[in-house]
Amino acid sequence: MIVVMKRGATREEIEHMIQRVEELGLKSQPIYGTERTVIAAIGEKRDEYRHSLESGPGVSEVVSILAPYKVASREVKPESTVVRVGSLAVGNSHIGMIAGPCSVESEEQTMATARAVKAAGATALRGGAFKPRTSPYSFQGLKEDGLKILAAARQETGLAVVTEVIAAADVPLVAKYADVLQIGARNMQNYRLLDAAGEEGKPVLLKRGPSATMDELLLAAEYILNAGNPNVMLCERGIRTFETHTRFSLTLASVPYLHERSHLPVVVDPSHGTGHASLVPRMAAAAIAAGAAGLIRSRSEMLTEL
Ligand code: PEP
Ligand code: MN
């Protein structure tokens, strides 16, 4: 259920309703919008709860949330979320341009790429220090040394740093250096990692799993939101299909679909989505035409991987 507060409801009225929701044994999740505040009341739905909440001070109405995800849904928050951190703004007509190497390979490579992407108009730098590799024999990333290089690149260029975290135990270390925690496609349903990123509080870029449905992506985002972190960006990076000419199939219909269902901004990754550098510029343009709130583009120099 969501408790929709009246426009102009006071802080005290909102606090009172949060308390009332919790007294009923439901989890409360207030969402402060520019238009109105709503309180998501999550737990078992009972009619008597609805009546007791409806009569509360400052309450406009109490409505059921139909979607399986609650806090992520547009029913709860009609206005689009804008995620802002440092040089990066994503959502509601702010288009974030996140670019950089697939992995941080050396200081020279990262610094040169950071300068180049900044000059080309990027608003954030990406680069993996912890790499989730299909093969255990592939380069696994420079780990903390890589994070330090990214922090130095931010210092010089002013670009916000987006970097991947692959394990819940690494969240504090990665958050010490990063502006945005990237949760990769392979980890989309690593629920302990989602909880840890939610509790940490830094903005999260959550990539769609290669075999995840949109509902599964939104429910994964719900874990982060439910842990109290409202700054989540969804990322379409292609799914696995029977097609082998591209590395994945970049399904751009997900962009307007997700924007219809959720207030969270959708970023598109045309590099991993296609696996071919020559296809990236046109798919990037197509993503923006589909309403994407940002692009994340990468290319490795040392590896053949994008
Ligand atoms: C990456 O961004 O470098 C990456 C590993 O992407 P994905 O999780 O989408 O495969
Ligand atoms: Mn990559």
Side-chain angles (χ1 to χ4, degrees):
M1 285 176 289
I2 48 175
V3 179
V4 182
M5 302 301 292
K6 289 182 181 145
R7 268 168 220 269
T10 64
R11 267 265 157 208
E12 291 73 42
E13 287 170 335
I14 296 167
E15 291 300 326
H16 177 89
M17 289 314 297
I18 291 172
Q19 213 178 322
R20 203 185 265 199
V21 165
E22 307 230 323
E23 278 162 11
L24 292 171
L26 302 171
K27 183 175 161 37
S28 71
Q29 185 74 262
I31 295 144
Y32 302 97
T34 46
E35 294 281 303
R36 55 177 199 176
T37 294
V38 305
I39 302 161
I42 302 158
E44 207 184 331
K45 193 176 103 194
R46 296 240 206 96
D47 275 344
E48 70 258 34
Y49 290 174
R50 172 189 290 266
H51 298 312
S52 115
L53 293 171
E54 259 165 2
S55 60
V59 173
S60 160
E61 58 177 337
V62 176
V63 291
S64 296
I65 313 169
L66 300 175
Y69 36 87
K70 308 296 175 195
V71 187
S73 82
R74 222 180 247 283
E75 292 172 76
V76 165
K77 182 170 179 271
E79 76 248 31
S80 299
T81 289
V82 183
V83 176
R84 291 175 199 274
V85 54
S87 58
L88 182 68
V90 174
N92 205 18
S93 81
H94 297 276
I95 296 180
M97 289 291 171
I98 308 165
C102 172
S103 46
V104 175
E105 293 161 18
S106 68
E107 181 155 2
E108 303 69 65
Q109 165 247 19
T110 304
M111 285 299 182
T113 312
R115 289 183 200 119
V117 300
K118 163 110 188 197
T123 55
L125 174 68
R126 61 142 287 146
F130 287 89
K131 295 305 299 178
R133 293 292 187 201
T134 304
S135 163
Y137 307 119
S138 303
F139 174 55
Q140 302 288 313
L142 294 178
K143 313 213 167 68
E144 188 167 7
D145 287 343
L147 296 172
K148 286 183 181 159
I149 294 172
L150 287 167
R154 171 182 49 220
Q155 178 76 21
E156 191 195 300
T157 60
L159 293 173
V161 165
V162 180
T163 194
E164 181 161 358
V165 56
I166 59 177
D170 296 334
V171 167
L173 175 69
V174 178
K176 194 171 135 195
Y177 297 96
D179 297 297
V180 174
L181 302 178
Q182 177 176 324
I183 295 186
R186 292 159 189 80
N187 266 317
M188 189 203 85
Q189 286 177 311
N190 179 339
Y191 299 116
R192 296 287 72 81
L193 176 58
L194 299 173
D195 279 341
E199 280 156 21
E200 207 295 324
K202 286 223 162 154
V204 176
L205 180 82
L206 176 64
K207 300 187 94 176
R208 179 182 187 182
S211 63
T213 65
M214 310 257 184
D215 274 9
E216 286 166 342
L217 172 60
L218 288 165
L219 283 165
E222 188 81 9
Y223 271 83
I224 303 166
L225 299 169
N226 191 40
N229 183 349
N231 292 311
V232 178
M233 294 168 264
L234 305 171
C235 180
E236 175 56 81
R237 46 79 72 211
I239 54 172
R240 171 82 17 105
T241 67
F242 54 84
E243 180 56 72
T244 54
H245 288 84
T246 49
R247 187 166 169 220
F248 292 94
S249 293
L250 187 58
T251 53
L252 288 179
S254 57
V255 177
Y257 180 86
L258 289 166
H259 280 154
E260 259 173 47
R261 297 302 153 118
S262 175
H263 53 86
L264 298 174
V266 181
V267 170
V268 171
D269 178 345
S271 306
H272 292 87
T274 62
H276 296 290
S278 67
L279 303 181
V280 169
R282 282 179 195 277
M283 292 314 288
I288 297 300
L295 294 172
I296 178 163
R297 296 172 58 164
S298 64
R299 188 153 191 206
S300 170
E301 283 161 25
M302 188 165 90
L303 307 159
T304 48
E305 205 173 314
L306 284 162

